[in-house]
Amino acid sequence: MTTDYTKVRNLKEIAELAGVSTATVSRALTGTGRVNDETRARIAALAQKLGYHPNIVARNLRKQKTSTVGVLVPLGHEDIQHLSDPFFNAMTGFLADALAELGYDLLLSRVIPRDELWVERLANSGRVDGVLVIGQSNQFGALEAIARRYRPLVVWGGHYPGQIHCAVGSQNRKGGRMAARHLIERGCRRIAFAGPTEGPEFGERFAGVCEVVAEAGLGDGLIRLPTHFELNAAYSDILDLLRATPLMPDGIVAGADVSAIGVIRALGALGYRVPDDVRVVGYDGLPIGELLTPPLTTVDQQLRHGAGLMVDLLMRRIAGEDAPGILIDPVLIVRGST
Amino acid sequence: MTTDYTKVRNLKEIAELAGVSTATVSRALTGTGRVNDETRARIAALAQKLGYHPNIVARNLRKQKTSTVGVLVPLGHEDIQHLSDPFFNAMTGFLADALAELGYDLLLSRVIPRDELWVERLANSGRVDGVLVIGQSNQFGALEAIARRYRPLVVWGGHYPGQIHCAVGSQNRKGGRMAARHLIERGCRRIAFAGPTEGPEFGERFAGVCEVVAEAGLGDGLIRLPTHFELNAAYSDILDLLRATPLMPDGIVAGADVSAIGVIRALGALGYRVPDDVRVVGYDGLPIGELLTPPLTTVDQQLRHGAGLMVDLLMRRIAGEDAPGILIDPVLIVRGST
DNA sequence: TTGAAAGCGTTACCAC
DNA sequence: GTGGTAACGCTTTCAA
């Protein structure tokens, strides 16, 4: 059947052409309600022939439901180009996959939070059924406030006791412990932590490393290399710190894979070999870790799985359930960098 | 001023509370039309106090305009997990940045084209002002047909003579030539091309390599390593092909950075060193290329710039202009892999 | 099984 | 400067 691209703009025109009411056309095309089979077929054929596509905006307005989920990436003040960051990219990719599976679309918004309304502007815009936030950034307080009055909200990030907003994230302290223990098992004695040491996620990872190092009686050897999260910033931070450190580490836990990459590059620039001179373990389990040379040993947060959980929880919250957050068990993936 | 989260759902309620009409509230809040300054201030204060956010869906329906752009990633039949592919990820990230700059949101849809309607379903849904498509996949014909009747469409991909749909992409043949010439200058005599050799983009890159190899009198040495695009598939393809080849190349042009990564891993698995035994040059200029060890020499398509161009062109097309496609001048980035 | 009509929440035109 | 009101295109009662 050839398609006729006369501009059929709406149900009404189809209805007139078919000699029925708009109500019947709507029922025929959506499959809701009872319609005579023959009428339905006639209408369907006509719609296809005329290349008709329903106006989803009008449908959404009427149904007060959109089958769309908003994904928000809050950017701290310092880090501007974050949206092309490998972590956010990986996460949005996984979320897009999981949402597509359920027939949901993804409305992506990059936000620089200026006030407390950055979530609600989208949440209450009628364009989305729920909101996913990737990372708590410096917005932990804001998220707590928002979660109090807006339910279909799920956040990727850490858990604090008494936390109100629903979050999915890994057991960061445990993950930090795994990374440190692995380095010690590999024979490292001078362990360093590279990355931010504050915040719900990095703080816990750092704490886990500290615990294990202390337990192993290596407490004096713990070296702090506080860097930015972002790749290039981390690289130059690390370069300076390593040049200045009185004690060169032989094992480094990076707070994130992205930071680990910066660390490895800095080590290379200083003439150290990985893993021969220094072993490096990352945190996240980004797909690119596998592609590096040497491939990156990392604490895998199972981001694809996590994205699936976020979407599940969000669907349940959209349905009215008060689904609680979930902690993911991190898994150590040993590769060439250790 | 404290915010009062009584549920103000629409303009009408604000209007009643303020003792004015919805029309005035609308004018006051949007800044369109003339409103008494004092009334405007009163209404604005009230709206903020009540935590009112306009329903964007209703606005979009009324204005027939959404400030949203659809981004479509057509997936060929074979390659299912493509959305988390580094290339698409990088591209969507750059597009999101460029769109955010202009106050546009991004509606991301992963599509497996089953019929010719995959673009129009979104384009005519009223949810977007225009559509960006990343990659022509096997949909070149479909895109040609669609472009005939839907103008605000810009595609990332190759150019063919007489092509109708507006595309942004690099001069693939020229880029292929640059890559091959670089290898020859580095002393390579047995040049191989790894990747797909068909289609508007890969075909041209391959052709460019062939030309240069022939011009250098190395025609007999050109080795074809036809592989899939996707990373893991490329890896195992290459592994088999290199094992079987009677002539081991000393320089490989990969059709894409992702393929180059597969090539380098395969070479490593076979005991070859890069660049000492074999030099490898990629194509794309993905950010991750820089992170690899050795860092990847690549033909940079300047994807961030390209994303900006796509958005520019789309905006002009949305405005009604018949903006033509653009070819990007590729730039060779020499790094450690050659 | 079908149709008429009332919204969904805005904006924009036309009076006043 | 402001208010009434008709769209925007769809879904969904309620009657017939």
Side-chain angles (χ1 to χ4, degrees):
Chain A
M1 169 174 303
T2 59
T3 308
D4 228 8
Y5 285 92
T6 37
K7 31 225 124 238
V8 186
R9 285 267 158 272
N10 50 36
L11 277 188
K12 199 169 155 217
E13 297 186 19
I14 302 255
E16 283 163 5
L17 262 45
V20 295
S21 73
T22 61
T24 301
V25 177
S26 173
R27 283 187 290 250
L29 261 29
T30 57
T32 21
R34 294 146 289 281
V35 181
N36 181 306
D37 278 352
E38 187 256 335
T39 331
R40 183 196 303 284
R42 208 177 76 241
I43 293 173
L46 193 61
Q48 188 181 346
K49 176 159 180 291
L50 299 178
Y52 168 76
H53 300 274
N55 184 312
I56 305 297
V57 171
R59 171 184 294 169
N60 290 348
L61 177 60
R62 172 61 230 239
K63 298 181 77 166
Q64 299 290 84
K65 157 118 173 73
T66 63
S67 289
T68 301
V69 165
V71 171
L72 252 28
V73 179
L75 305 180
H77 287 300
E78 342 165 26
D79 323 287
I80 286 307
Q81 291 298 13
H82 254 22
L83 213 83
S84 22
D85 173 278
F87 177 80
F88 293 122
N89 259 327
M91 207 62 194
T92 49
F94 292 145
L95 289 173
D97 284 344
L99 288 167
E101 208 72 33
L102 301 177
Y104 272 73
D105 287 312
L106 187 164
L107 187 63
L108 185 63
S109 243
R110 186 181 69 164
V111 182
I112 299 179
R114 300 179 202 287
D115 45 32
E116 292 167 356
L117 303 173
W118 57 281
V119 173
E120 268 143 323
R121 238 186 298 272
L122 177 62
N124 298 332
S125 72
R127 282 188 303 176
V128 298
D129 295 341
V131 173
L132 298 171
V133 173
I134 307 181
Q136 290 147 332
S137 184
N138 54 0
Q139 297 295 308
F140 197 94
L143 289 167
E144 286 292 279
I146 293 156
R148 234 177 282 266
R149 47 183 189 267
Y150 183 71
R151 318 317 310 283
L153 170 71
V154 178
V155 177
W156 175 270
H159 290 241
Y160 272 133
Q163 172 174 333
I164 292 169
H165 71 268
C166 173
V168 174
S170 69
Q171 301 181 40
N172 288 294
R173 185 177 296 241
K174 184 175 174 188
R177 293 182 60 94
M178 293 169 72
R181 198 175 302 119
H182 171 66
L183 287 179
I184 291 173
E185 282 168 10
R186 282 285 203 257
C188 301
R189 315 306 289 166
R190 300 183 303 282
I191 310 285
F193 181 88
T197 53
E198 313 260 309
E201 302 213 89
F202 290 107
E204 286 296 296
R205 294 171 196 173
F206 177 58
V209 172
C210 291
E211 285 174 10
V212 167
V213 169
E215 286 162 21
L218 300 173
D220 298 345
L222 179 67
I223 302 156
R224 289 185 56 163
L225 303 171
T227 72
H228 291 84
F229 165 76
E230 193 261 324
L231 174 59
N232 293 312
Y235 171 72
S236 57
D237 288 347
I238 283 284
L239 209 54
D240 295 343
L241 290 165
L242 286 181
R243 281 202 182 107
T245 188
L247 190 63
M248 184 64 198
D250 57 3
I252 301 181
V253 177
D257 281 354
V258 167
S259 316
I261 294 168
V263 168
I264 291 177
R265 294 180 72 188
L267 288 170
L270 294 173
Y272 296 98
R273 291 163 306 162
V274 176
D276 309 271
D277 301 324
V278 185
R279 299 173 197 274
V280 177
V281 48
Y283 202 110
D284 275 341
L286 295 188
I288 56 163
E290 198 186 347
L291 311 181
L292 304 175
T293 318
L296 186 64
T297 294
T298 186
V299 178
D300 185 8
Q301 302 199 74
Q302 307 189 73
L303 295 181
R304 182 179 285 280
H305 174 58
L309 288 176
M310 288 180 75
V311 169
D312 279 355
L313 290 175
L314 186 63
M315 292 303 145
R316 289 162 54 190
R317 287 185 154 257
I318 288 173
E321 193 182 330
D322 210 3
I326 294 182
L327 279 170
I328 294 172
D329 229 351
V331 176
L332 184 72
I333 301 183
V334 180
R335 300 204 190 96
S337 68
T338 55
Chain B
M1 172 173 301
T2 59
T3 309
D4 228 9
Y5 285 91
T6 37
K7 31 222 125 245
V8 186
R9 285 269 157 271
N10 50 36
L11 278 186
K12 200 168 153 218
E13 297 186 21
I14 302 256
E16 283 164 6
L17 263 45
V20 295
S21 74
T22 61
T24 302
V25 176
S26 173
R27 282 187 292 248
L29 261 29
T30 57
T32 21
R34 289 149 289 282
V35 182
N36 182 306
D37 278 352
E38 187 255 337
T39 340
R40 181 195 304 284
R42 208 177 76 240
I43 293 173
L46 193 60
Q48 186 180 348
K49 177 159 180 290
L50 299 177
Y52 166 77
H53 300 274
N55 184 313
I56 306 297
V57 172
R59 171 183 295 170
N60 290 348
L61 177 60
R62 174 61 232 239
K63 296 180 77 165
Q64 300 289 83
K65 157 118 175 71
T66 64
S67 290
T68 301
V69 165
V71 171
L72 253 28
V73 180
L75 306 180
H77 287 299
E78 342 166 28
D79 323 290
I80 285 306
Q81 293 295 13
H82 254 24
L83 210 82
S84 21
D85 173 277
F87 177 80
F88 293 123
N89 259 329
M91 209 60 195
T92 49
F94 292 145
L95 289 173
D97 284 344
L99 288 168
E101 207 71 34
L102 301 177
Y104 272 73
D105 287 312
L106 186 162
L107 188 63
L108 184 63
S109 243
R110 187 182 67 166
V111 183
I112 298 178
R114 301 178 202 288
D115 45 31
E116 293 168 355
L117 302 173
W118 57 280
V119 173
E120 268 143 325
R121 238 187 297 273
L122 177 63
N124 298 332
S125 71
R127 282 188 304 175
V128 298
D129 295 341
V131 173
L132 297 171
V133 173
I134 306 181
Q136 289 147 333
S137 185
N138 54 0
Q139 297 296 307
F140 197 95
L143 289 168
E144 286 292 280
I146 292 156
R148 234 177 282 267
R149 47 183 189 268
Y150 182 71
R151 319 316 313 280
L153 170 70
V154 177
V155 178
W156 175 270
H159 290 241
Y160 272 133
Q163 173 174 329
I164 292 169
H165 70 268
C166 173
V168 174
S170 69
Q171 302 181 38
N172 288 295
R173 183 177 297 241
K174 183 173 174 189
R177 294 182 59 96
M178 293 168 72
R181 197 175 303 120
H182 172 65
L183 288 178
I184 291 172
E185 284 168 7
R186 281 284 203 258
C188 302
R189 316 305 291 165
R190 302 183 301 282
I191 311 282
F193 181 90
T197 53
E198 314 259 307
E201 302 212 89
F202 291 107
E204 286 294 297
R205 294 171 195 172
F206 177 58
V209 172
C210 292
E211 284 175 9
V212 168
V213 169
E215 286 163 20
L218 300 171
D220 299 344
L222 180 67
I223 303 156
R224 288 185 56 161
L225 302 171
T227 72
H228 291 85
F229 165 75
E230 193 262 324
L231 176 59
N232 293 311
Y235 171 71
S236 58
D237 288 347
I238 283 283
L239 210 53
D240 295 344
L241 289 165
L242 286 181
R243 282 201 183 105
T245 189
L247 189 64
M248 185 60 198
D250 57 4
I252 301 181
V253 176
D257 281 354
V258 167
S259 317
I261 294 168
V263 168
I264 291 177
R265 294 178 72 186
L267 287 169
L270 293 174
Y272 296 98
R273 290 163 306 162
V274 176
D276 310 271
D277 301 324
V278 185
R279 298 172 198 274
V280 177
V281 48
Y283 202 111
D284 274 343
L286 295 187
I288 56 164
E290 199 186 348
L291 312 180
L292 305 175
T293 319
L296 186 64
T297 293
T298 186
V299 178
D300 185 7
Q301 303 200 70
Q302 308 189 74
L303 296 181
R304 182 179 287 281
H305 174 58
L309 289 176
M310 288 180 73
V311 170
D312 278 355
L313 290 175
L314 186 63
M315 292 303 144
R316 287 162 55 189
R317 288 185 153 256
I318 287 174
E321 192 182 330
D322 211 1
I326 294 183
L327 280 170
I328 294 172
D329 228 352
V331 176
L332 183 72
I333 301 184
V334 180
R335 299 204 191 97
S337 69
T338 53

